[in-house]
Amino acid sequence: MPPYVADSLAHDQSTPGVERVADRLELPALDDRSYRVIRLANALEVVLIHDAETDKASASLDVNVGSFCDPEDMPGMAHAVEHLLFMGTKKYPVENAYSEYLSKNSGQSNAYTAGTSTNYHFEVAAVGSPAPLQDADSGSGLSIPASNQEHSPFYGALDLFAQFFVAPLFLSSTLERELQAVDSENKKNLQNDTWRLRQLSKSLSNPRHPYCHFSTGNLETLRDNPRARGVEIRGEFIKFYEKHYSANRMKLAVLGRESLDELEQWVNTLFSAIPNKNLPRNRWDDQQPLEKEQLLTQTSAKPIMDSRDLKLTFPFLDEDELYESQPGHYLAHLIGHEGPGSILAYIKSKGWANSLVAGSQPICPGSALFTITVRLTEDGLTNYQEVVKVIFQYISLLREAPPQEWILDELKGMSEVNFRFQQKTSAIKFTQRMAWTMQTPYPREWLLSGPNLIRKFDPKVISAATAYLRPDNFRMSLISQHLRGMDQKEKWYGTEYKCEKIPEDILAGIERVGHPEGSQRIPELHLPHKNEFIPSNLEVEKKEVANPLTAPKLVRNDDGVRVWWKKDDRFWVPKGNVSITLRNPLVIATAENAVKTSLYCALVTDALDEYSYDADLAGLEYDLYSTSYGLFLMISGYNDKMPLLLEKVLQCMRTLEVRTDRFEIIKERKLRGFRNWGFQEPYYQIGEFASWLTSEKGWITEQYLTELPHITAADVRHFYPQLLSQTHAEVLVHGNLHREDALKFTDLVITTLKPRPLSPSQWNIRRSIVLPAGSNYTFPRQLKDPANVNHCIHYFLSVGLRADRLLRAKLDVFTELTEEPAFDQLRTKEQLGYVVFTASRNSATMMGYMILIQSERSPDFLEARINAFLEGYGSTLRKMGSDDFERYKRSYVTKRTERLRSLDRESRRFWAHITDETYDFDQVDEDVKCIDSLTKENLIEFYEHYISPSSPTRSKLSVHLTAQNTVASRARGMGPGEQKEKLLMMLGQYLNAKGVAVDPEALQRRFDPVDVSLGNQESLTAPIEQHLREDLKIPQDRVESIMDEGRQLLGTVLPGLGIELTAPNQGGGSADGTVPAGAADASAGHTDAAVIEDVQKFKAGLQVSAGATPWRDLSDFEEFEAKL
């Protein structure tokens, strides 16, 4: 079926100076938006999107410049410019005006830098009274068109956003902070294998192609080295911006409730001032990422985590103009197939692999790569050369047989089905994708459909693409901790590796299998069979309803089963979601049981891989894993063949053959997963400890790791029937499915598994640990990764029971109030770390306020700065005007009441209320009523009782993850003299950059009596200030300006010298980082933290909450008989 083509209902007259490029776009059948593509007089191309029902308005601007444009001597330049661009504009010079405006209007923003583009995007409430905004010229509030003055904050956000590209300031006062943010972002990734191995691949590519660049940047590349060369770095960033940023290289997507005509007028008014320099589109056609020197090489690399990967990379044809046939998609489908006859099915049967992924990867216009990545077993690592031969033999099969039209027709048909029933995504994701898509050569009528639809079978193009996958046109990477002979280190991440030419005998073997004769062919390799799971019945019974149901119906409730059902009345897609919990307390009775359950689920999935892969290709998938309740099974996707997949999964669960060979492979894989867990980023790990400490019962990864080595295949064979023998099934059936379907699915579960009913008295009761009023706990842990430089703190203030609606409303509004100020203070101003966020955090039955920071600074220091922020925020809250308070309330209500955009999101909401056992399906509406009733005085009382560091009634639990590679450990190789020498060099560079002619000898004399290794801030700043004022006779106002920024600089450079900066006062402070009089005393009066050394003893000494109870009697939801 062809895509629906929508008319934008355009008026005959366009805005003067605006060219209409396209008014009719191919749309999904359910897309009720209107579209228009225009081009402004400055050559900026824009897609306008009118969505009458959107809760969020959004815009995204994509610039055709990225890390490929970085100068050779300043890697990371494009990324740094992305950061600095947000720091004030000529019209709105206050550096956080943009983020503050968005925060007050339910908004958010972000940006990213890729190889060939940089994307900036935001979203904001689509309706509501906009917050006032001061501009630089008039000092008055933002001028908003009269037609929208009372309705939309979008115009103001667009005005702020546009100015970043019209007249950014690159404020010098923010330079050091933002470079530190870039450096912190880079350090966050230093121990991440994805980043490390990607950069190794890039560093070993063609040095004449910009693919080889180090794209993130760090302080060395962006500050220290340039300053040592005498470069004025702020000027370099401005030059880069002026050289590369031009309206004709930009693509803008704008989505709002306003009409297309009104959006067109706004965009023309606000964005036409962006200069057009008529720059050509960036291309790199003269070189390829992989040339002859880089091919036929084998790189062996040592990862941080215990993983084993084989990767083959081929230079590939540029598919930029081949969007109609997409030959890379055809090849990826066949090479990456997991069904019978596939590469993966064969190498799994040999015990060599666990997974295989294949696909084409566009690098830049003119260049692409095709990669095949195999996740190896231990035996697979030993036999990796055989795996390579299997891959090339399958490729030879594709080369010898002509491209198959029926295979392409299956892919084409599913692409049409998926596009036809595509549901809405968030506004910010949608505009981001649209702006990026506009950088490609799709016809503008195909902006939505182009990336999604395969339109034609082109056997010549497919054959030409296959010809790139040759034994003389690839390079190979082998990743494992157990490889030997690593004699080199990658420059930017320090990855140990070895690179050498592939031996001739191996290449000869590959060449032979690439042209196999009869007896050499592997008979198990063949093309896939036709996919029986492709849906044929896509009918949707659509009955318009005035008010969609907000809760599912309870259509069965007996001793063994509870069935919830809702026929979709919002989204009208031929899809469904079936969620099933099989309650059984055995699952988490012990850590050993939890591991055996996890192994059982993995074995079922492994046994079904070949069968279920076709279903996955056809938009139908399943998931099986353990929870604190028991087993969870979900089937989701097109509902036509759903019963077929559900029956097969249930049969496998019931009759699973636990094969010893597959068990040992899966056990070893899980063992590595548990060991690798401790090598993740600290902020990924810390939440597990926080949950463990606040849950009555539960386990952590290290406990699983203790149990796993002792578990055998026989243990799982004996155990899993016990999981299924006695259960209580709770089922949710939601979507294009009728009551009869829900009951049939449930009958299928019961008749297949044949469990006895589990009585409610045996169900697990989920409870939370209650932290007593006035308590103060710290749980310290050391990171396992010896090389990670980042600490992490999870600072949690317990507030009370989740069931208390009014208290929950106060917590949520307080979290909303502090989100932007906390980020601005702790990350932007104090530069404590790249990862900083606040949130309301829920456990089983309790809730609280959380601040998380990952940083090179110690957890104790971070805790002091969090206390300082919270102490200071009390003053901010008390001074807040009533208009601002009400605006923040509305902002949060807008977020909470945002419309559901897809069937899956509604299913997840229903299931969350079912699994938390409150069945509070009206929670949003009831919470909003409570929020509406709140006053500022209510929030002040809440703050003083639960949040303030000086409160005697607040309850705090901090988890401290401490890096082994600490500031102190890095200082061991550097003496005080060397520390002082390096510090003076950095100070000289900084002061010179500020236009100060430093007297090195005079500055040295000022520092002679100072022991810099102590890190005392006052001792370090006093000689600098004295040098400026007394030696150089600089005016006081300028000294203060230099010193304000210099204090921030000290906090960023001292850790790199092995010096821990001592906080001005560890007890508390204001939101700007200073410590008000009396604040330290107030905080110091709070209970000293009790260190948790024995978790069992800690929990045993505390009370637990009551278990969750339903908000309404379940009989209110019952509907056992179909209504006529």
Side-chain angles (χ1 to χ4, degrees), residues 6 126 149 217 270 308 315 400 428 505 528-529 580 650 769 806 909:
Q149 201 159 12
L270 297 175
R308 295 181 295 264
E400 292 166 6
I428 195 168
D505 59 329
H529 52 66
I580 304 164
L650 291 169
I769 299 294
L806 186 59
R909 177 181 287 185

Side-chain angles (χ1 to χ4, degrees), residues 647-664:
E647 182 176 18
K648 185 69 173 181
V649 174
L650 291 169
Q651 287 173 350
C652 186
M653 290 174 63
R654 177 70 182 177
T655 63
L656 175 69
E657 177 190 356
V658 180
R659 290 171 44 194
T660 301
D661 59 340
R662 294 308 302 169
F663 172 82
E664 292 299 335

Side-chain angles (χ1 to χ4, degrees), residues 668-728:
E668 190 274 338
R669 185 176 72 201
K670 198 163 286 290
L671 192 64
R672 284 186 292 117
F674 289 157
R675 288 173 179 158
N676 288 337
W677 184 87
F679 289 84
Q680 297 181 104
E681 285 296 316
Y683 75 97
Y684 285 139
Q685 301 180 44
I686 203 165
E688 182 183 64
F689 295 114
S691 296
W692 181 44
L693 292 166
T694 54
S695 299
E696 180 189 23
K697 192 168 189 177
W699 315 104
I700 57 174
T701 302
E702 67 182 46
Q703 293 170 313
Y704 300 148
L705 183 57
T706 300
E707 299 297 332
L708 180 56
H710 309 291
I711 298 173
T712 66
D715 292 332
V716 176
R717 287 191 199 103
H718 175 73
F719 177 71
Y720 89 77
Q722 299 175 51
L723 291 177
L724 305 178
S725 63
Q726 190 175 17
T727 70
H728 177 272

